[in-house]
Amino acid sequence: MLARYGGDAVLRFRIHQKNEANAIVEAVNALFLDVWEFNTEWVDIRLAKDVIQSLLGLLPASLQKSHTPLMHDLAQTIFESYPSQFSDEPEQPSHHTHRGFTPSLQKTPDETNIFFQQYQPLSVILPWLRLMESLFPTHVRLIKIGITYEGRDITALRVGVHPKNVEKSMDSRKTIIVAGGSHAREWISTSSVNYVAFSLITEYGKSKQMTKLVEEFDWIFIPTLNPDGYVFTWENDRLWRKNRQQTSLRYCKGLDLDRTYGFEWDGHATKSNPCSESFSGEGPFQGVESSRFANWVKNETERNNAKFVGFLDLHSYSQQILYPYSYSCSSAPPSLENLEELALGMAKAIRHVNGEKYDITSACEGSVMSNKNGKKEQEIWPRIETGGGSALDWFYHEMNVTYAYQLKLRDTGSYGFLLPSKNIVPTGKEVFAAIAYFGNYLQGNKGIEVSDMVEKSNEQAAQGTITSQVSQPVSLVDVEPIPNAMLPAILDEEDILEESNWEL
């Protein structure tokens, strides 16, 4: 499994000029290279070491000296990303073995929960999800989103409390989706979905704040939207990105699921190249998993009275919070101000956990650089890969989900997709802090239901506790803090007053 990457390297190129971006795009397409990540300053590319000179020969002189290796031994880093039982080393006995992935009903430190000490294969995740349902039947149910190309279930946990805990209720149920694993190799996204689900589930009834979130919203936690690809990363190729769908070329399988949604699908650039890592098929929703996910969402809306108010799509890496649109920088989302405000709050909640900095920008701006003269105008640079057909844009525009984000998690390139397992809990805490803030923000009903907001404001005014609904989403002074086991996701009043001076 690892031998194929023994001669590979990951290089970071720092981009300063438009002609450099043009050259990178042309070289990547000509040599069919694997672009790991990119933003307004750099692009990370994996390639065989014997191809490096060919790549440099296609680049301007300024880029030939403007690159650095990110990891010295890619194959070894891949090897170390697997749990010990997947390596050739003998497994050491442990007195914790009896714990397995069984959660204790007593609060224990995250570090003692073996399920989150290592990345877990799908064969372990699925029983864990069933266990969550059986241990917490009052507010957890295992559901099926759809079936993959290879016939696996796309499973999820629905976390919420409403009348008789049944699918249908008299009023529409505000629902938030937290999804990971669209790209198979981004393991930290899958583990973070599980961590957040576990944290919310186990804090219900213990924390007033978490209890309110479970009572007011249905939370849909989807550990991986791409189970086929995820299994393939464990059994065959750790760096596999796409799904496992057959294409027109027998030896080039897979579609990039996050480029197959119907809104502003732009697969023409890769249509003739199924081997491309960002191949988006020959038409919108050709990806089996994305199509079935979209159908499930529509069915929930039309038949099960769900009202999707939030979508959080977890990816890695680069530590960014991205909002619509992804397909183009020429169109600004109508609710841009609210999207930026909530993103700022999530970023600061994350920073309060471990001091990690998450940048905030439009999802399109991986190909946009601000004018160096300090002017507000931005110059659009060529895209490293297409941004059309994303889940982010589809949920925001087609499903009218006001608060849709893509969170790119740790790190910023030292390990990339091969983030060591010691980062699972810290990253999970950061995401939980962001999502707790997200839920608290939406509890203010800002941008969801104006009638409810007016009614609650009137109630607060009668009690003398009303706060400004114009400048802030919700008063946070009297909100019960998250227990010490979970790191704070809600900012105190002083933080709110300092919002204009946030340094992210």
Side-chain angles (χ1 to χ4, degrees), residues 37-110:
E37 191 54 78
F38 59 91
N39 61 18
T40 57
E41 299 179 355
W42 46 258
V43 56
D44 295 344
I45 299 174
R46 179 187 63 81
L47 72 169
K49 293 177 182 177
D50 56 12
V51 177
I52 292 178
Q53 289 305 314
S54 298
L55 171 61
L56 295 179
L58 297 174
L59 302 179
S62 57
L63 281 181
Q64 293 178 11
K65 298 181 179 180
S66 182
H67 65 275
T68 54
L70 291 186
M71 52 193 75
H72 296 288
D73 191 336
L74 179 60
Q76 181 62 30
T77 307
I78 290 174
F79 178 80
E80 292 172 354
S81 71
Y82 286 97
S84 58
Q85 62 263 35
F86 276 80
S87 71
D88 295 329
E89 298 176 3
E91 185 173 357
Q92 298 298 320
S94 170
H95 64 277
H96 292 297
T97 301
H98 68 281
R99 294 178 59 92
F101 56 78
T102 304
S104 171
L105 294 179
Q106 302 296 319
K107 186 180 298 183
T108 59
D110 298 310

Side-chain angles (χ1 to χ4, degrees), residues 287-412:
V288 169
E289 293 81 6
S290 58
S291 176
R292 289 171 181 170
F293 180 36
N295 289 337
W296 178 85
V297 170
K298 291 177 180 178
N299 183 69
E300 287 292 299
T301 301
E302 297 167 1
R303 298 185 180 183
N304 292 329
N305 213 17
K307 181 176 182 180
F308 291 97
V309 297
F311 176 64
L312 294 154
D313 190 16
L314 306 190
H315 287 259
S316 69
Y317 55 95
S318 70
Q319 297 185 192
Q320 293 180 299
I321 300 177
L322 307 178
Y323 53 80
Y325 288 110
S326 173
Y327 80 94
S328 173
C329 290
S330 61
S331 299
S335 59
L336 176 61
E337 184 175 345
N338 288 339
L339 286 166
E340 290 182 327
E341 178 184 16
L342 178 49
L344 283 167
M346 287 193 291
K348 188 154 191 190
I350 289 172
R351 186 159 60 86
H352 275 203
V353 176
N354 296 310
E356 291 293 327
K357 177 179 179 289
Y358 276 59
D359 294 324
I360 300 165
T361 187
S362 165
C364 73
E365 293 192 11
S367 59
V368 174
M369 181 75 76
S370 297
N371 189 290
K372 293 300 183 181
N373 294 324
K375 298 179 181 179
K376 293 183 179 180
E377 295 83 1
Q378 291 180 319
E379 181 183 12
I380 297 180
W381 288 13
R383 300 194 71 97
I384 302 297
E385 63 181 25
T386 178
S390 69
L392 175 69
D393 288 357
W394 185 80
F395 270 92
Y396 181 79
H397 190 273
E398 296 295 316
M399 298 308 299
N400 299 313
V401 177
T402 306
Y403 296 102
Y405 296 92
Q406 184 179 107
L407 273 63
K408 292 197 172 183
L409 310 178
R410 292 190 184 191
D411 57 6
T412 55

Side-chain angles (χ1 to χ4, degrees), residues 87-227:
S87 71
D88 295 329
E89 298 176 3
E91 185 173 357
Q92 298 298 320
S94 170
H95 64 277
H96 292 297
T97 301
H98 68 281
R99 294 178 59 92
F101 56 78
T102 304
S104 171
L105 294 179
Q106 302 296 319
K107 186 180 298 183
T108 59
D110 298 310
E111 287 73 15
T112 66
N113 191 320
I114 287 182
F115 184 74
F116 296 113
Q117 288 185 359
Q118 301 180 124
Y119 294 108
Q120 304 294 349
L122 193 65
S123 60
V124 173
I125 292 174
L126 293 180
W128 183 83
L129 296 175
R130 288 192 289 269
L131 187 63
M132 291 294 100
E133 180 186 43
S134 65
L135 286 176
F136 304 98
T138 59
H139 54 291
V140 179
R141 282 178 296 137
L142 186 66
I143 62 174
K144 183 171 73 174
I145 303 297
I147 299 176
T148 69
Y149 174 78
E150 293 183 340
R152 294 181 176 88
D153 287 342
I154 304 173
T155 53
L157 290 179
R158 184 193 294 271
V159 180
V161 176
H162 45 115
K164 297 181 181 179
N165 203 31
V166 295
E167 287 284 350
K168 295 183 179 180
S169 60
M170 296 299 295
D171 300 322
S172 61
R173 181 69 171 168
K174 289 179 282 191
T175 304
I176 299 170
I177 295 175
V178 182
S182 289
H183 294 147
R185 60 192 178 188
E186 298 170 9
W187 287 4
I188 192 63
S189 69
T190 294
S191 69
S192 294
V193 171
N194 290 334
Y195 184 92
V196 174
F198 178 80
S199 299
L200 189 62
I201 289 167
T202 55
E203 284 304 307
Y204 173 71
K206 299 177 183 177
S207 162
K208 182 178 179 181
Q209 179 207 349
M210 297 297 105
T211 300
K212 286 181 178 178
L213 292 181
V214 173
E215 291 176 344
E216 183 156 347
F217 303 104
D218 268 1
W219 297 82
I220 308 298
F221 293 102
I222 312 173
T224 174
L225 284 165
N226 182 10

